[in-house]
Amino acid sequence: DIVMTQSPLSLPVTPGEPASISCRSSQSLLESSGYTYLDWYLQKPGQSPQLLIYLVSKRASGVPDRFSGSGSGTDFTLKISRVEAEDVGIYYCMQALETPLTFGGGTKVEIK
Amino acid sequence: QVQLQESGPGLVKPSETLSLTCAVSGASLNGYYWSWIRQPPGKGLEWIALINYSGNTFYNSSLRSRVTIARDTSKNQFSLKVMSLTAADTAVYYCARYFADSGTGWFDPWGQGALVTVSS
């Protein structure tokens, strides 16, 4: 199974400041087709997860452009350019290269 | 707008079988993959199973011997059965649509989740 490792576990942030979350996979998520199958999800308090980013860097419909994804191979980053109060929650990365689909352990973003 | 709604018993006894249903509106089962994911209280996400538009199924090997995913196209819903329950199966169970063609691989949207507690 592909192991997904996120850091940090917890991220206190100041509104208006940037934030960055790291995700590392135990093997490359690049397929021979050229696609890299890495997604990001946000689970806001008391809600189900919602898709933020797919294929490393593509924002899902309705996701603000302050969210951006980058990376390649086994190392990926989610960045929030200016954190807003509504961005609090747990962020998960997920690999979709192969089954079993696996998630990172999550990064809890909270306001300082 | 695609919406998914889980339904299930809430409380089940150890060793019994859990049956959950996900009702889909706004999209046909025939056009997509559909999936179950669970989240134990205070913990992370675990993928359980997928079923595609042809009825082919895919399971997490850690649960394969105890779970079955199925679909009912006449009702536009799909289901999950988990056998031989233990307390470790206590979790919120989510259903979700999964995009799985070449160049795709993500869950969207997710249902609101159904809390299942395994306890005598």
Side-chain angles (χ1 to χ4, degrees), chain B residues 69-92:
Chain B
I69 188 171
R71 61 179 189 161
D72 184 339
T73 54
S74 67
K75 295 181 179 179
N76 213 47
Q77 63 187 32
F78 62 104
S79 63
L80 180 74
K81 290 189 188 301
V82 185
M83 301 183 298
S84 305
L85 291 167
T86 71
D89 294 309
T90 294
V92 175

Side-chain angles (χ1 to χ4, degrees), chain B residues 44-118:
Chain B
L45 300 164
E46 179 183 33
W47 171 70
I48 302 171
L50 281 170
I51 187 165
N52 73 5
Y53 36 72
S54 300
N56 298 319
T57 57
F58 307 83
Y59 294 102
N60 192 325
S61 55
S62 67
L63 294 163
R64 181 189 302 272
S65 63
R66 297 195 297 124
V67 302
T68 303
I69 188 171
R71 61 179 189 161
D72 184 339
T73 54
S74 67
K75 295 181 179 179
N76 213 47
Q77 63 187 32
F78 62 104
S79 63
L80 180 74
K81 290 189 188 301
V82 185
M83 301 183 298
S84 305
L85 291 167
T86 71
D89 294 309
T90 294
V92 175
Y93 286 75
Y94 295 103
C95 59
R97 180 174 61 176
Y98 184 66
F99 290 83
D101 294 324
S102 178
T104 67
W106 58 84
F107 292 110
D108 185 52
W110 298 55
Q112 66 181 33
L115 175 61
V116 175
T117 302
V118 181

Side-chain angles (χ1 to χ4, degrees), chain A residues 12-20 66-67 79-88 109-112:
Chain A
V13 295
T14 301
E17 294 296 306
S20 179
R66 65 179 180 273
F67 290 92
K79 292 183 179 177
I80 310 173
S81 59
R82 294 174 304 278
V83 173
E84 297 188 5
E86 66 181 22
D87 300 335
V88 299
V109 171
E110 50 193 4
I111 299 297
K112 283 182 182 176

Side-chain angles (χ1 to χ4, degrees), chain A residues 35 37 39 41 43 47-49 51 54-55 92 94 96 99-101 103, chain B residues 37 39 43-45 47 60 94 98 102-108 110-111:
Chain A
Y35 294 106
Y37 290 95
D39 309 325
Y41 298 86
Q43 186 172 31
Q47 296 185 18
S48 55
L51 178 67
Y54 60 93
L55 296 176
Y92 295 95
M94 188 197 88
T99 58
L101 307 174
F103 294 87
Chain B
I37 305 111
Q39 184 174 37
K43 296 189 177 181
L45 300 164
W47 171 70
N60 192 325
Y94 295 103
Y98 184 66
S102 178
T104 67
W106 58 84
F107 292 110
D108 185 52
W110 298 55

